[in-house]
Amino acid sequence: GAVVSQHPSWVICKSGTSVKIECRSLDFQATTMFWYRQFPKQSLMLMATSNEGSKATYEQGVEKDKFLINHASLTLSTLTVTSAHPEDSSFYICSANTGALRFSEAFFGQGTRLTVV
Amino acid sequence: RKEVEQDPGPFNVPEGATVAFNCTYSNSASQSFFWYRQDCRKEPKLLMSVYSSGNEDGRFTAQLNRASQYISLLIRDSKLSDSATYLCVVNGTPNQAGTALIFGKGTTLSVSS
């Protein structure tokens, strides 16, 4: 099946620094990828929709200047958490549909556990 | 009303038990429904899609009631390996190339020997 690879799987950073998370579709082209965030004991919440070659679409309440998304190719989307603070510590995960069908199965990356100290 | 609501759990059952999870969704226009399984600190993985006619995959049976906007998952003969969080998932607003998913909070199942 389709594979989505996310890197890094975990990262610890100092408050005020920026962290970049990569999401790659390994055997299919993904014109759209989705970024989610999951706090402990909470559901996955959609942060933004990453569109290849155009600006990302952010969900209400998500700061676009803080969570920079770049989707420069059909197989790579990046999420950069800028000036990270402890409250940004969370599990970040990307997903992509294979695109063959609009409601096809979503494939998830392995997730990135971010801890800001 | 939350977009996707699930039993809060946790469900603690012995091996061999039958357990049922319920879920309701708010968007009557939703067209795709899934149950995902998430193990601790891992990404969600598709357990099964849910169809209007109901579907079964081994020990797992999923049901959908569009009129009531209700989805269920039945697990028979529970195994220790079934211990996980089960997420009720509904498609969001579709765009040209795909659709984001709306997740329930999840129901935690713990199967003990």
Side-chain angles (χ1 to χ4, degrees):
Chain A
V3 178
V4 174
S5 177
Q6 188 172 339
H7 176 82
S9 57
W10 61 270
V11 59
I12 301 174
C13 71
K14 290 185 177 180
S15 187
T17 61
S18 295
V19 175
K20 179 185 283 189
I21 303 169
E22 293 187 348
C23 182
R24 293 179 185 274
S25 57
L26 297 185
D27 54 1
F28 67 100
Q29 294 182 336
T31 54
T32 302
M33 290 185 177
F34 304 97
W35 287 96
Y36 296 85
R37 178 169 54 183
Q38 185 178 34
F39 292 106
K41 300 187 185 297
Q42 299 295 317
S43 59
L44 279 81
M45 296 298 295
L46 179 66
M47 296 176 66
T49 301
S50 173
N51 304 298
E52 187 269 335
S54 65
K55 291 183 179 180
T57 304
Y58 290 82
E59 295 299 301
Q60 192 172 12
V62 178
E63 300 174 57
K64 62 179 181 180
D65 295 329
K66 181 170 181 62
F67 299 98
L68 301 179
I69 292 174
N70 185 284
H71 196 147
S73 77
L74 288 171
T75 60
L76 174 65
S77 174
T78 61
L79 168 68
T80 300
V81 183
T82 62
S83 186
H85 287 93
E87 58 265 30
D88 297 324
S89 299
S90 187
F91 185 59
Y92 293 85
I93 191 164
C94 66
S95 79
N97 297 36
T98 56
L101 296 171
R102 290 175 72 193
F103 303 111
S104 59
E105 176 186 352
F107 293 91
F108 287 87
Q110 300 92 326
T112 298
R113 192 159 299 280
L114 171 64
T115 302
V116 185
V117 297
Chain B
R1 181 181 174 185
K2 293 181 180 176
E3 291 190 76
V4 179
E5 290 199 72
Q6 292 185 243
D7 285 348
F11 284 64
N12 300 304
V13 303
E15 274 187 292
T18 296
V19 61
F21 302 143
N22 302 317
C23 169
T24 57
Y25 61 95
S26 62
N27 186 355
S28 60
S30 297
Q31 297 186 39
S32 297
F33 311 90
F34 310 93
W35 283 101
Y36 274 74
R37 169 187 170 138
Q38 186 176 26
D39 292 287
C40 188
R41 294 175 177 268
K42 299 286 187 182
E43 75 275 21
K45 294 189 177 177
L46 180 66
L47 178 66
M48 59 197 304
S49 300
V50 187
Y51 304 116
S52 295
S53 55
N55 49 301
E56 184 175 314
D57 182 3
R59 297 181 293 108
F60 300 84
T61 301
Q63 297 275 354
L64 168 64
N65 184 321
R66 285 185 182 270
S68 303
Q69 296 179 207
Y70 170 92
I71 306 163
S72 67
L73 175 68
L74 184 75
I75 305 176
R76 292 182 299 278
D77 189 22
S78 299
K79 311 291 185 189
L80 293 175
S81 57
D82 293 335
S83 298
T85 296
Y86 290 83
L87 306 171
C88 178
V89 184
V90 175
N91 72 285
T93 303
N95 60 43
Q96 187 174 359
T99 181
L101 300 175
I102 308 299
F103 288 82
K105 198 173 178 178
T107 302
T108 300
L109 173 65
S110 178
V111 182
S112 57
S113 58

